[in-house]
Amino acid sequence: MGTPAEADRGETGGIRTALAGLTTRGRSFLAAGVAAVICAYILGQQDLRPVGLLLAVLPLICAAVLYRTRYRVAGSRRLSPARVPAGSEARVHLRMDNVSRLPTGLLMLQDRVPYVLGPRPRFVLDRVEPGGRREVSYRVRSDLRGRYPLGPLQLRLTDPFGMCELTRSFSTFDTLTVIPKVEPLPPIRLSGEARGYGDGRQRSLALAGEDDVIPRGYRYGDDLRRVHWRSTARYGELMVRREEQPQRARCTVLLDTRGSAYEGAGPDSAFEWAVSGAASVLVHMLERSFSVRLLTDSGSSVPGEGADGFTGSGQESADAAGLMMDTLAVIDHSDGTGLSRAYDVLRGGNEGLLVAFLGDLDDEQAAVAAKMRQRSGGAVAFVLDPDTWVREPTDVPPPGNPHEERLRMLREAGWTVLGVERGASLTELWRQADRERTSMAAAAGETRR
């Protein structure tokens, strides 16, 4: 539950503010009362003066009480959940607490939301007793990923007589994060990967300290079953064996964000498909306990990730996935025109699996992407052809499509390449990549034999 928002006390002139909140009824009562008092003095009708004073004082008392009451009402907001996939709904819970000793009048509640999340919600709350609370909620939904501010919350108070209306604005904001859609991927094994992928993971030594030699000296807490007696007799002190453990497999997901590589915009555009695909692969690899890294064409990655990407299991993997989803929620087209920066970031042969989501490639960028295969243990590319995303299904494709020629260039370099057409399913393409990698590995084995 969010903390109660403090009132915006930056307004000057409390009396002026209270009087400015008088309604038409309140102004009419005030004017009638003043006129009655003046007429009582002019006409000498003393019985009219108490009536005039009552009419004039009543709206003033209502304004003063309401002005004081509006700072005795606390509001809070809670998002459930605060991070949702594009196209899904989130619920916003609003809570109003009357912390004064007096009941409130009619409350009109309004929350400010961006237009892409839907219409501005408005609520009417009945009288709130002293120490009481009221809770309301509304739903928000966006097909466009991003970070959207919610607030400030505005509260309009009225007195029971309808003499005065005052508006209070709370100062706190909340942020709704709309992340890309994540498509669950089947747990297949892309065969043929080297350097720590699948069953062919590298193995490293589990060291208890700094760079040790085999065997190392006994440390307090070591299992006595690991004592290496031959080395103990040789060195004259207890020596223990180092154990081996599998090194965590690596996976780098390369997302091409060049503005010139994509055409169209909106939730069904090619770029949004690529962002959603990258998010799906990142989550899938984290669930399989990979060290995952997100890389863009500009050479940038997720802030806060380690040299080998995000690792961990359980809650750590969930936190890593949340951080990468937050990054993808706001990622946009870059001003770059090439993939050279991403190529420079890739280390020679130590990247494990490389999964790339690429936009339109010219001959130069296709050559750069082909060289990336040399810096990874295995490489799978999903290349989007912008022409198929902007062309209607009934249109005839242009002759001599250079897109296929560049796919062939990547295949010759060792990539597993799949062209992505409009409306393609990443799950089916993922299975197809597995079949193609299997056939490539079988063909390579036949060639060696």
Side-chain angles (χ1 to χ4, degrees):
M1 175 70 68
T3 56
E6 294 295 332
D8 182 8
R9 296 178 179 268
E11 305 175 13
T12 59
I15 298 178
R16 181 181 303 175
T17 302
L19 293 178
L22 290 176
T23 62
T24 302
R25 179 184 299 178
R27 296 175 186 273
S28 301
F29 268 65
L30 180 61
V34 172
V37 172
I38 294 175
C39 291
Y41 279 104
I42 294 177
L43 302 177
Q45 298 291 332
Q46 299 302 323
D47 294 337
L48 185 59
R49 185 171 59 181
V51 177
L53 290 175
L54 177 61
L55 294 177
V57 170
L58 180 59
L60 297 179
I61 293 177
C62 291
V65 172
L66 196 62
Y67 181 78
R68 177 179 175 83
T69 302
R70 74 169 183 165
Y71 291 116
R72 306 292 292 175
V73 178
S76 61
R77 182 191 299 104
R78 177 172 57 88
L79 301 181
S80 177
R83 183 191 291 122
V84 295
S88 300
E89 291 184 345
R91 184 167 290 275
V92 183
H93 301 268
L94 303 178
R95 172 176 164 178
M96 305 304 301
D97 293 271
N98 183 12
V99 296
S100 69
R101 299 179 180 179
L102 298 176
T104 67
L106 193 66
L107 303 179
M108 287 170 283
L109 194 62
Q110 174 179 278
D111 204 8
R112 182 174 298 177
V113 300
Y115 71 95
V116 296
L117 298 182
R120 182 171 296 182
R122 294 180 174 88
F123 304 94
V124 177
L125 305 181
D126 294 332
R127 172 181 176 274
V128 182
E129 64 279 2
R133 69 178 61 169
R134 296 291 185 272
E135 294 186 7
V136 293
S137 63
Y138 63 93
R139 294 178 296 179
V140 290
R141 180 182 181 274
S142 175
D143 293 328
L144 298 174
R145 55 185 176 81
R147 294 173 62 88
Y148 301 100
L150 301 179
L153 184 64
Q154 292 183 338
L155 181 65
R156 181 176 297 177
L157 301 91
T158 60
D159 65 279
F161 301 101
M163 299 288 181
C164 184
E165 286 185 359
L166 291 180
T167 300
R168 172 183 173 182
S169 295
F170 298 89
S171 59
T172 56
F173 289 82
D174 287 282
T175 302
L176 175 68
T177 303
V178 181
I179 62 176
K181 293 181 180 178
V182 175
E183 189 172 347
L185 301 179
I188 62 176
R189 179 182 183 272
L190 297 175
S191 59
E193 268 65 13
R195 289 184 175 85
Y197 182 73
D199 297 335
R201 298 183 181 182
Q202 291 177 335
R203 302 191 69 84
S204 63
L205 295 173
L207 304 179
E210 291 79 13
D211 296 336
D212 298 336
V213 295
I214 298 178
R216 62 169 177 82
Y218 174 83
R219 292 187 177 91
Y220 178 78
D222 285 339
D223 192 348
L224 292 178
R225 290 174 295 182
R226 293 172 51 198
V227 173
H228 192 262
W229 297 108
R230 182 179 301 178
S231 299
T232 299
R234 178 181 177 183
Y235 292 102
E237 61 176 324
L238 280 178
M239 306 294 291
V240 296
R241 297 184 302 270
R242 293 189 298 173
E243 293 181 348
E244 291 187 345
Q245 64 179 8
Q247 180 181 355
R248 185 180 295 272
R250 295 194 183 101
C251 177
T252 298
V253 177
L254 172 62
L255 176 61
D256 184 6
T257 62
R258 296 173 297 137
S260 59
Y262 300 92
E263 294 184 13
D268 297 327
S269 63
F271 181 66
E272 293 301 322
W273 191 98
V275 174
S276 177
S280 302
V281 173
L282 288 170
V283 173
H284 177 72
M285 290 302 179
L286 274 176
E287 292 175 348
R288 298 187 64 187
S289 300
F290 275 67
S291 294
V292 180
R293 180 173 63 164
L294 173 64
L295 182 66
T296 65
D297 58 285
S298 60
S300 60
S301 56
V302 179
E305 73 176 13
D308 294 331
F310 288 103
T311 61
S313 59
Q315 185 60 38
E316 293 182 1
S317 293
D319 295 341
L323 186 57
M324 287 190 289
M325 292 301 104
D326 289 344
T327 301
L328 290 175
V330 296
I331 200 168
D332 202 354
H333 292 294
S334 67
D335 298 330
T337 58
L339 302 173
S340 300
R341 292 184 180 179
Y343 173 76
D344 295 336
V345 173
L346 295 174
R347 295 168 297 188
N350 294 323
E351 294 300 323
L353 178 65
L354 174 62
V355 181
F357 291 86
L358 305 174
D360 190 22
L361 299 174
D362 54 22
D363 292 338
E364 180 181 357
Q365 302 311 316
V368 175
K371 292 190 297 183
M372 291 181 182
R373 175 63 183 87
Q374 304 171 3
R375 299 197 169 188
S376 63
V380 180
F382 300 92
V383 184
L384 289 82
D385 184 6
D387 291 338
T388 63
W389 288 81
V390 298
R391 187 179 67 237
E392 295 297 330
T394 56
D395 295 343
V396 179
N401 188 0
H403 178 69
E404 294 296 332
E405 184 66 23
R406 287 151 192 165
L407 295 185
R408 183 185 61 82
M409 183 186 305
L410 294 180
R411 290 191 182 97
E412 292 178 352
W415 282 84
T416 300
V417 184
L418 295 99
V420 180
E421 298 181 354
R422 183 177 183 179
S425 170
L426 179 61
T427 302
E428 295 302 323
L429 293 176
W430 191 250
R431 292 193 178 98
Q432 182 180 348
D434 176 54
R435 293 192 294 268
E436 292 196 10
R437 289 293 297 174
T438 302
S439 61
M440 289 175 59
E446 291 293 336
T447 303
R448 286 194 296 269
R449 285 195 295 269

